[in-house]
């Protein structure tokens, strides 16, 4: 037998052996119900029933279960990512892996509806025109817009500049707070987005707070006075989960610790901290802010004792969670609404709380895709 044929035979035997061993282990090892890395529930094998043979559900369960329960699944995913990168693939499960370990979500113009985006802007504009509150729209630029120099060569993303231009054109009653220059300037000396996650960092949220203070003719509190502290050095974000690479390094998660005394109300639950430190033991460490996203969160600062009570309403996605610590000293009451989960009347809530200021804060592509903004007019 020639050396070439011998190598092919050995390769074939090794592959068959690996598949056979893993096939046996699928039914021997305990099944996993949840993947921390992928942040999702896994398919487990079910005992077949006579009906499952007729509707093909047994075959689907066997296929999905084999994929999800494959021995060393996380390691194989890392290996697959590494091989695709070495071959030259750019789009890895909907993300780009750029320079210096930065992950970028691959969102194209075709993924966004221009009509929905313009409608959402109009909802905000109508809300601003119909309510007795000063409304500010703060669209957070996507990571790829601010850190374009970190993108891989020839990477394509949606036209964010055009969307900012549309927002400037459409909004008259609502004020547009464009923080792109602030983040671009800050990015020269600090990390403004997590490398493995789509969220901005504490430093970026602080820059947005400073921009908010500036347009409201107020001085910003120095970041050092908030006593930032690293609460995790092992943060792997949602983008990493889509394309885990063994060369990627975890992010550090900093949060401001010196905060005003407050009472936080989330549904029937009350707390004296905006942080849920138990979330640092999970994959989703960014949810240390409030423990995640909820329909409504109320924050009361009882020791401000101002003569005139100042109230802020924030209509938001998860990016707003990390700016709230910096805004707490500026207001006596802050109410946060996540329209993905909030189904009560916003108009009735406005009559109830009568906010002085309203901040609409979304990451730009999230705002463009969100199908719940219309609730702002209910």
């Amino acid at each position: 037998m020639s050396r070439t044929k011998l190598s092919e035979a050995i390769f074939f035997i090794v592959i068959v052996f690996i598949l056979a061993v893993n096939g046996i282990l699928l039914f021997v090892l305990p099944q996993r119900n949840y993947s921390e890395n992928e942040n999702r529930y896994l398919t487990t094998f079910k005992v077949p029933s006579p009906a499952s043979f007729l509707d093909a559900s047994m075959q689907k369960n066997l296929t999905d279960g084999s994929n999800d329960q494959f021995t060393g699944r996380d390691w194989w995913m890392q290996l697959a990512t590494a091989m695709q990168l070495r071959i030259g693939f750019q789009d890895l499960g909907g993300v780009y892996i750029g320079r210096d370990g930065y992950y970028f979500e691959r969102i194209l113009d075709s993924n966004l509806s221009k009509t929905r985006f313009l409608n959402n802007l109009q909802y905000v504009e109508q809300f601003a025109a119909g309510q007795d509150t000063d409304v500010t729209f703060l669209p957070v630029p996507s990571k790829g817009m601010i850190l374009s120099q970190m993108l891989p060569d020839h990477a394509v993303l949606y036209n964010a500049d055009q969307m900012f231009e549309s927002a400037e054109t459409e909004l008259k009653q609502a004020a547009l707070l464009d923080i792109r220059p602030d983040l671009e300037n800050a990015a020269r000396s600090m990390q403004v987005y997590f490398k493995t996650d789509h969220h901005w960092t504490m430093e970026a949220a602080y820059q947005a707070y400073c921009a908010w203070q500036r347009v409201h003719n107020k001085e910003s509190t120095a970041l050092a006075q908030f006593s930032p502290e690293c609460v995790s050095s092992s943060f792997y974000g949602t983008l990493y989960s889509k394309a885990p690479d063994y060369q990627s390094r975890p992010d550090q998660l900093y949060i401001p610790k010196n905060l005003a005394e407050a009472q936080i109300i989330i549904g029937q639950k009350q707390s004296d901290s905006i942080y849920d430190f138990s979330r640092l033991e999970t994959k989703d460490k960014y949810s240390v802010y409030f423990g995640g996203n909820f329909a409504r969160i109320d924050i009361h600062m009882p020791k401000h004792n101002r003569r005139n009570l100042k109230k802020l309403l924030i209509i938001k996605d998860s990016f707003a969670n990390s700016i709230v610590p910096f805004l707490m000293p500026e207001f006596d009451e802050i109410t946060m609404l996540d329209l993905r989960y909030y189904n009560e009347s916003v108009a009735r809530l406005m009559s109830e709380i009568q906010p002085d200021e309203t901040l609409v804060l979304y990451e730009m592509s999230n705002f463009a895709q969100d199908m719940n903004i219309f609730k702002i007019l209910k």
Side-chain angles (χ1 to χ4, degrees):
M1 182 182 293
S2 67
R3 179 171 296 180
T4 300
K5 289 186 176 180
L6 179 61
S7 298
E8 291 175 350
I10 292 174
F11 178 77
F12 176 77
I13 293 171
V14 169
I15 294 299
V16 171
F17 176 77
I18 291 173
L19 293 175
V21 170
N22 276 279
I24 294 171
L25 292 177
L26 281 174
F27 299 95
V28 173
L29 296 178
Q31 297 189 60
R32 293 196 303 161
N33 293 314
Y34 186 79
S35 170
E36 277 284 324
N37 182 55
E38 298 174 73
N39 195 27
R40 71 177 182 88
Y41 289 96
L42 302 176
T43 301
T44 56
F45 294 115
K46 299 177 181 177
V47 178
S49 65
S52 66
F53 288 90
L54 299 176
D55 62 13
S57 61
M58 184 193 71
Q59 179 63 42
K60 186 178 188 311
N61 177 254
L62 185 62
T63 302
D64 294 345
S66 298
N67 289 332
D68 283 0
Q69 300 297 330
F70 200 83
T71 307
R73 175 181 172 82
D74 292 344
W75 183 85
W76 287 108
M77 290 178 67
Q78 289 181 335
L79 179 62
T81 298
M83 292 178 63
Q84 291 178 79
L85 284 173
R86 305 309 174 263
I87 293 172
F89 280 81
Q90 281 196 326
D91 181 7
L92 304 174
V95 301
Y96 296 123
I97 300 182
R99 296 174 178 84
D100 198 23
Y102 274 96
Y103 280 69
F104 298 87
E105 192 167 10
R106 184 177 182 268
I107 303 176
L108 309 179
D109 285 322
S110 58
N111 300 130
L112 305 177
S113 167
K114 183 177 180 180
T115 300
R116 179 175 298 143
F117 173 63
L118 293 175
N119 285 342
N120 286 346
L121 288 175
Q122 282 303 310
Y123 296 143
V124 173
E125 180 68 2
Q126 291 175 46
F127 174 81
Q131 296 291 341
D132 186 20
T133 179
D134 293 328
V135 178
T136 301
F137 176 48
L138 198 168
V140 180
S142 299
K143 184 196 296 189
M145 185 177 196
I146 302 300
L147 303 180
S148 57
Q149 75 279 7
M150 294 297 183
L151 285 164
D153 294 336
H154 313 299
V156 178
L157 295 174
Y158 72 95
N159 190 339
D161 286 326
Q162 187 178 71
M163 298 176 74
F164 272 90
E165 291 172 7
S166 296
E168 188 173 5
T169 300
E170 296 293 329
L171 299 180
K172 305 299 181 186
Q173 299 296 318
L176 173 65
L177 180 51
D178 185 353
I179 61 170
R180 287 178 295 173
D182 302 271
L183 294 187
E184 288 167 354
N185 182 60
R188 298 188 180 100
S189 58
M190 63 185 70
Q191 186 178 342
V192 292
Y193 291 88
F194 294 112
K195 291 187 176 183
T196 65
D197 195 64
H198 61 291
H199 286 107
W200 57 2
T201 61
M202 178 199 68
E203 289 82 357
Y206 176 75
Q207 295 301 316
Y209 152 74
C210 290
W212 165 276
Q213 291 290 90
R214 187 170 60 249
V215 300
H216 288 84
N217 299 313
K218 297 179 182 178
E219 289 189 11
S220 302
T221 302
L223 179 59
Q225 292 190 34
F226 289 97
S227 303
E229 181 179 318
C230 179
V231 292
S232 177
S233 298
S234 57
F235 177 33
Y236 284 101
T238 56
L239 299 182
Y240 172 85
S241 297
K242 295 181 178 181
D245 182 13
Y246 68 91
Q247 290 187 327
S248 296
R249 295 295 176 262
D251 283 295
Q252 290 186 321
L253 177 61
Y254 281 84
I255 61 174
K257 293 296 289 287
N258 183 26
L259 302 182
E261 182 178 328
Q263 179 186 37
I264 293 82
I265 303 173
I266 305 176
Q268 301 298 317
K269 180 182 176 182
Q270 295 189 22
S271 172
D272 59 0
S273 173
I274 68 168
Y275 299 123
D276 181 351
F277 291 106
S278 68
R279 302 298 298 178
L280 295 176
E281 305 302 319
T282 70
K283 175 71 165 54
D284 184 16
K285 300 184 191 308
Y286 184 81
S287 64
V288 66
Y289 293 99
F290 303 101
N293 297 299
F294 300 91
R296 175 177 174 176
I297 299 175
D298 291 284
I299 307 172
H300 301 276
M301 274 64 70
K303 288 197 173 181
H304 281 190
N305 294 324
R306 292 192 180 99
R307 181 172 298 177
N308 296 315
L309 203 65
K310 292 211 57 161
K311 300 180 181 180
L312 172 67
L313 171 66
I314 302 178
I315 298 173
K316 41 75 74 178
D317 65 6
S318 57
F319 276 73
N321 294 352
S322 51
I323 196 177
V324 169
F326 304 115
L327 294 173
M328 287 170 62
E330 308 299 325
F331 295 91
D332 302 282
E333 296 182 4
I334 298 176
T335 299
M336 304 167 64
L337 295 186
D338 192 324
L339 297 179
R340 291 172 296 179
Y341 315 112
Y342 190 77
N343 295 309
E344 304 299 323
S345 170
V346 175
R348 189 180 305 118
L349 176 69
M350 294 297 291
S351 298
E352 171 194 330
I353 64 175
Q354 298 181 5
D356 302 281
E357 300 274 353
T358 295
L359 172 62
V360 180
L361 192 156
Y362 286 77
E363 190 273 333
M364 180 61 96
S365 65
N366 287 347
F367 180 81
Q369 298 175 85
D370 199 297
M371 294 186 290
N372 298 285
I373 307 297
F374 75 94
K375 296 178 183 177
I376 202 173
L377 300 178
K378 286 177 57 179

